[in-house]
Amino acid sequence: MFIDSHCHLSFPELAQQLPDILAAMRQAQVDEAICICTTMEEFPAVHGLATGHAQLWSTVGVHPDTEGLREPSLEELIEKAQLPRVVAIGETGLDYYRLNGRSLADMEWQRERFRTHIRAARAVGKPLVIHTRSSSADTLRVLDEAGGEQAGGVFHCFTESADVARAAIERGYYISFSGIVSFKNAQDLRDLAKALPPDRILIETDSPYLAPVPFRGKLNTPALVPHVAKALAEALGGSVDELAAQTTANTRRLFKLPAPGGH
């Protein structure tokens, strides 16, 4: 009934309780989840989740805020992206939140890493999972420069403005909402959701972070994505079942997931 379009089950706090998490997903009718890669060092674990469990899928990429670990080459991303059950490139993008005294010019290494991911996505015909924080103008600019419109993808855990959402959708991207949409101080985000085309909306947990109300501050898991759906459905004035059906269809379309039973 539900698909969690973005989670981090390879992170230690979740990996150590994977059997319980998968059981909770089944009970909550969360049929599938996309496990997101944040470093090349992490990729074997992320991919192992997908190849070991029929309800899980994998991406490959390096988070924009990651420093001091192996930089992904175009060739490596292309190679890994073509492995079974890898459905997207990312998470990638730009994050200027922690400049630590650096200028925007100093962040060219992030922009070049982002370009590499865009080129890989174009080469293999798979979508991008985009993270953007305090960097939306540059995120859109680099997408345009590197031909990101040809790849498509999703702006995950969206908290940007309506203008950024429209710009992303105009470029063929989807907008994904996390547990933040349930927070009391997120009325602007709920209002923004009403202006979006229903066929461009996804839901996610970004677990282990950002647990939705009424679990805010606790460990998040894919089993809580129905609570994201509930908050979003209330904002849109529709039913949870309708939202679940729409976002599930959207997720399958974007990531080219097979129909249920077609693993």
Side-chain angles (χ1 to χ4, degrees), residues 189-205:
L189 195 60
R190 291 187 286 274
D191 291 342
L192 179 152
K194 298 175 188 177
L196 301 183
D199 63 353
R200 288 286 163 170
I201 294 175
L202 306 186
I203 53 175
E204 65 173 272
T205 60

Side-chain angles (χ1 to χ4, degrees), residues 2-59:
F2 299 95
I3 299 179
D4 183 352
S5 69
H6 192 113
C7 64
H8 297 280
L9 296 187
S10 60
F11 285 15
E13 54 266 65
L14 297 183
Q16 61 190 2
Q17 50 180 305
L18 185 63
D20 291 341
I21 288 171
L22 296 178
M25 285 174 60
R26 286 191 295 272
Q27 187 173 3
Q29 296 184 288
V30 181
D31 299 325
E32 296 171 74
I34 298 175
C35 299
I36 304 298
C37 182
T38 61
T39 70
M40 298 312 295
E41 289 83 354
E42 180 194 21
F43 176 74
V46 178
H47 190 235
L49 288 168
T51 56
H53 303 278
Q55 67 271 58
L56 303 179
W57 303 91
S58 168
T59 71

Side-chain angles (χ1 to χ4, degrees), residues 143-163:
L143 269 180
D144 290 344
E145 290 174 355
E149 190 171 333
Q150 298 173 39
V154 56
F155 278 56
H156 103 93
C157 193
F158 195 82
T159 57
E160 301 290 338
S161 68
D163 286 343

Side-chain angles (χ1 to χ4, degrees), residues 33-89:
I34 298 175
C35 299
I36 304 298
C37 182
T38 61
T39 70
M40 298 312 295
E41 289 83 354
E42 180 194 21
F43 176 74
V46 178
H47 190 235
L49 288 168
T51 56
H53 303 278
Q55 67 271 58
L56 303 179
W57 303 91
S58 168
T59 71
V60 60
V62 177
H63 190 285
D65 206 25
T66 297
E67 298 185 65
L69 296 176
R70 189 164 88 249
E71 195 67 29
S73 69
L74 176 61
E75 294 73 21
E76 185 177 21
L77 287 174
I78 289 173
E79 175 192 357
K80 298 288 194 295
Q82 295 179 91
L83 292 173
R85 303 188 66 77
V86 178
V87 297
I89 301 287

Side-chain angles (χ1 to χ4, degrees), residues 19 24 33 48 59 62 78 108 110 136 144 167 179 182 184 236:
T59 71
V62 177
I78 289 173
E108 179 59 24
Q110 269 197 17
S136 57
D144 290 344
S182 71
K184 184 178 180 179
L236 297 176

Side-chain angles (χ1 to χ4, degrees), residues 127-150:
L128 291 157
V129 176
I130 291 182
H131 167 111
T132 181
R133 191 177 188 190
S134 303
S135 58
S136 57
D138 267 6
T139 298
L140 292 168
R141 179 178 61 79
V142 173
L143 269 180
D144 290 344
E145 290 174 355
E149 190 171 333
Q150 298 173 39

